Structure formats: structure tokens, C-alpha cells
Amino acid sequence: MEYLLAFLTGGLICAAGQLLIDLTNLTPARILTGYVVAGVALSAAGLYGPLADFAGCGATVPLLGFGHLLAQGVRQAGAEQGLLGCLTGGLRAGAAGIAASLVCGVVCAFLSRSRDQN
């Protein structure tokens, strides 16, 4: 049942993004950024934590979950270290995901071949 809830929740989040791409003039970059900001806002309002507990990876893996992770890191580090923690907590909490995406990007850049776009 846990896998089904994760699959359905993640699928609904992705379907909402696809609808935004298909039905609006928003660029994919703006939609992705909006998802991260929405995750931060929902986490700050206390709404995303219960969803993440309910759906597991179906809610924590998409970009909404990354925004939630950033907000949780800022909240925790801010409580422990004050203002400096607010500035560094999000990066500390998301360091593993950020590093993994950078490493994957560099590996893909080395393995792919560049060609003229014109």
C-alpha cells in the first residue's frame, strides 16, 4: 500500500506539472522554480510535512519535496544558530541532492558530444 500511495502522489504532482506545461504559457523553468517555491511555502505553512509523512517518497522526491527540504533545513539551523543558520541551513540540508545533480551534469557533459545548434 505504501508503494501505491507514493506512486499516486508523485504521479499527481507530475500530472499537475504536465497540465501547467500544456495549458499555460509558462516555461518549464518557471514551472520547476514555482514547484520549489511552492514546496517552501507549503512547508512553512505546515501543510507539506503531513503529506510527506503520508506519501513518503511520492512527496519527497519531486521538486516540491526539495523545497520542503530547504525550508526544513532553514528552520532547524535557524533555531540552532540564529541568523547565520537561516542563511546556511537550506544548503546544508540539500547538499547531497545538489552535489549529486552537479556530478551527474558534469558526467553527462563529458560523455555527450557538442554540436552546432544552427
Side-chain angles (χ1 to χ4, degrees), residues 32-107:
L32 295 175
T33 305
Y35 264 27
V36 173
V37 172
V40 170
L42 289 171
S43 181
L47 300 174
Y48 205 77
L51 177 64
D53 292 339
F54 171 74
C57 289
T60 58
V61 170
L63 284 172
L64 286 168
F66 183 67
H68 172 66
L69 177 72
L70 292 176
Q72 293 299 93
V74 168
R75 180 180 294 151
Q76 181 180 3
E80 294 172 0
Q81 301 172 344
L83 182 60
L84 183 61
C86 290
L87 297 174
T88 62
L91 288 176
R92 186 176 301 136
I98 295 168
S101 66
L102 288 173
V103 168
C104 288
V106 169
V107 168

Side-chain angles (χ1 to χ4, degrees), residues 4-20:
L4 181 63
L5 290 175
F7 177 77
L8 291 175
T9 304
L12 287 173
I13 292 170
C14 292
Q18 188 63 48
L19 287 173
L20 287 172

